[in-house]
């Protein structure tokens, strides 16, 4: 399984969010080649600003693995995390983060250059076009 | 009820965390003079790095009020929020944030100067000494 394969699974979660009229962001957490958590944005459904895909996936992964640190895991997420999610990724000591589209407005890199754990490796741009296009389609339909 | 009174309630939550061997941070959310949510750090108990007092209080307040935006609310928290929590406070559009002790290591002001909503008013240093002392006592006992 490649980064592309796992990102496809995160993208499928984003599509599920889209179908539920949520901002279409999806995430999966992978540990030793196994998807231990997958989630999509549920802020509207739960009426909770903290219910971003990454937050739900981090909580679920820790629950699945029985430990709060995810230092052997990779998070795949379709959109660059916001600073809330980047902060959570930092606390989790995530080994690696892979994201698809950049978020020019709310992405963490604009607000906080180094919120992640120093050891966390970051890869960007996997399935960038598809992830971007889904976000654009969602917001275009909202206008 | 004054800021001091509400911070005392947040401090009581921090004491509850302390008794549970959690890093002693407590928070309450106040809306129109009513405490709509109160919570303390539960990262160990829940095995979840996202279970900070502020996150739990924001989720509970939105649930209690039936809306995800808290733009008529004040968050009282014993310690300066980290960037994860500051990001959540930003998304919630919290009207006002009051915190006790500063967090020299993980406080949001060191990482992201402006993660909050531009309209959010911030007050610092309420019951600063008590909040600091509780944190110091906790970590001293851990050594």
């Amino acid at each position: 399984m490649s980064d592309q394969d796992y990102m496809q699974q995160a993208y499928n979660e984003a599509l599920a969010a889209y179908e539920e009229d949520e901002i279409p962001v999806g995430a999966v957490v992978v540990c030793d080649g196994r998807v231990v958590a997958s989630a999509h944005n549920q802020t509207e459904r739960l009426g909770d600003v903290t219910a971003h895909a990454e937050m739900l996936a981090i909580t679920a992964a820790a629950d699945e693995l029985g430990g709060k640190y995810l230092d052997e895991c990779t998070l795949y997420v379709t959109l660059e995390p916001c600073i809330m999610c980047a902060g959570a990724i930092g606390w989790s000591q995530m080994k690696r983060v892979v994201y698809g589209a950049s978020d020019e407005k709310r992405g963490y890199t604009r607000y906080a250059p180094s919120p992640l754990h120093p050891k966390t490796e970051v890869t960007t741009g996997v399935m960038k076009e598809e992830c971007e296009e889904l976000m654009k389609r969602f917001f275009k339909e909202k206008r």
Side-chain angles (χ1 to χ4, degrees), chain A residues 8-136:
Chain A
Q8 181 65 52
Q9 294 194 41
Y11 183 80
N12 292 346
E13 284 285 342
L15 280 176
Y18 179 86
E19 294 299 328
E20 293 169 14
D21 211 26
E22 299 274 2
I23 294 177
V25 181
V28 299
V29 175
V30 175
C31 187
D32 284 335
R34 182 168 73 92
V35 174
V36 294
S38 63
H40 56 268
N41 178 35
Q42 294 196 57
T43 48
E44 294 304 321
R45 183 176 174 184
L46 299 179
D48 183 354
V49 296
T50 75
H52 284 194
E54 302 95 312
M55 303 299 283
L56 300 174
I58 287 169
T59 297
D63 192 50
E64 171 68 16
L65 295 171
K68 65 181 180 159
Y69 296 119
L70 305 175
D71 51 353
E72 298 295 319
C73 298
T74 299
L75 173 74
Y76 293 84
V77 56
T78 57
L79 184 69
E80 178 186 349
C82 71
I83 58 161
M84 172 180 73
C85 294
I89 293 164
W91 287 117
S92 77
Q93 302 183 14
M94 191 75 68
K95 185 178 185 182
R96 190 167 167 243
V97 175
V98 181
Y99 66 79
S102 291
D103 185 345
E104 303 293 333
K105 282 189 187 166
R106 304 300 291 254
Y108 75 90
T109 53
R110 276 85 188 162
Y111 287 84
S114 54
L116 306 183
H117 192 273
K119 288 187 179 169
T120 302
E121 183 193 335
V122 180
T123 302
T124 71
V126 176
M127 287 184 67
K128 179 178 156 65
E129 286 71 26
E130 294 92 328
C131 297
E132 270 178 9
E133 196 279 324
L134 185 60
M135 288 290 285
K136 279 182 190 161

